[in-house]
Amino acid sequence: GAVVSQHPSWVICKSGTSVKIECRSLDFQATTMFWYRQFPKQSLMLMATSNEGSKATYEQGVEKDKFLINHASLTLSTLTVTSAHPEDSSFYICSARDLGGEANEQFFGPGTRLTVL
Amino acid sequence: GQNIDQPTEMTATEGAIVQINCTYQTSGFNGLFWYQQHAGEAPTFLSYNVLDGLEEKGRFSSFLSRSKGYSYLLLKELQMKDSASYLCAAMDSNYQLIWGAGTKLIIKP
């Protein structure tokens, strides 16, 4: 199957700082990437849909000025958590859709665990 | 509105069979996915159904009934490593996945 990488795997930062998370599709082109957040013992929560070359579409309740998404190429999307606070601590997971693949399947990155002190 | 329902938790015995059910309501339908997620890890793809019927893949099988808005994941010959959360997701007319809350499966020896 297709491979999606995420970097970093985990990050600890001080409150008020910004953190950038990268999501890369390694062996396919992804015109659409998705960013999810998952709190402990809860299901995935879609934050935004990122389309290459255009502005991201944010889900209701997700602040676009706080969670900046850039999808500059067909293999890279970035999520920047600006002015992070402890309540932003979560597991952030990206996924990429391989339109050339079977079944419009989404391939997930390994996730980034963010801890804000 | 769009909705996915699946049980919160199930317990089964090693070597046995377990069936995890999922019902869905979506605006349009482009298929039903099952993912496995171990604690602290990202989900991994298990199966995809878009036509009615049973799809078998090794120890795992998935069934879909579009008219009933119903799917199940069947796990046979359970192993301890199958202890995980199983996520049901339906793809709507915009090709967006609508996720269930997941079913935590506990395997006992």
Side-chain angles (χ1 to χ4, degrees), chain A:
Chain A
V3 180
V4 176
S5 71
Q6 238 177 286
H7 178 80
S9 302
W10 57 270
V11 57
I12 301 173
C13 68
K14 293 182 179 180
S15 186
T17 59
S18 293
V19 175
K20 181 188 279 188
I21 303 170
E22 292 186 350
C23 177
R24 293 181 185 272
S25 56
L26 298 185
D27 51 2
F28 67 100
Q29 293 183 331
T31 53
T32 303
M33 289 184 173
F34 303 88
W35 286 97
Y36 293 88
R37 181 167 52 183
Q38 188 175 37
F39 293 106
K41 298 184 180 181
Q42 294 187 23
S43 188
L44 297 172
M45 191 178 76
L46 180 65
M47 298 176 67
T49 302
S50 167
N51 293 296
E52 185 265 337
S54 64
K55 290 184 179 179
T57 303
Y58 289 82
E59 295 300 300
Q60 196 171 10
V62 178
E63 299 174 58
K64 62 180 180 181
D65 294 330
K66 180 171 180 64
F67 299 99
L68 301 178
I69 291 173
N70 183 279
H71 193 159
S73 77
L74 287 171
T75 59
L76 173 64
S77 176
T78 61
L79 168 68
T80 302
V81 183
T82 62
S83 187
H85 288 95
E87 57 265 31
D88 298 323
S89 298
S90 186
F91 192 42
Y92 292 86
I93 311 171
C94 74
S95 70
R97 191 162 69 204
D98 179 7
L99 287 179
E102 201 178 302
N104 291 312
E105 181 185 337
Q106 285 186 27
F107 298 93
F108 285 86
T112 297
R113 189 160 300 283
L114 171 63
T115 302
V116 185
L117 303 177

Side-chain angles (χ1 to χ4, degrees), chain A residues 103, chain B residues 24 29-33 48-53 55 64 66:
Chain B
Y24 64 90
F29 181 73
N30 278 301
L32 193 292
F33 294 79
Y48 169 75
N49 295 67
V50 68
L51 300 175
D52 286 353
E55 294 275 346
L64 176 68
R66 294 181 63 146

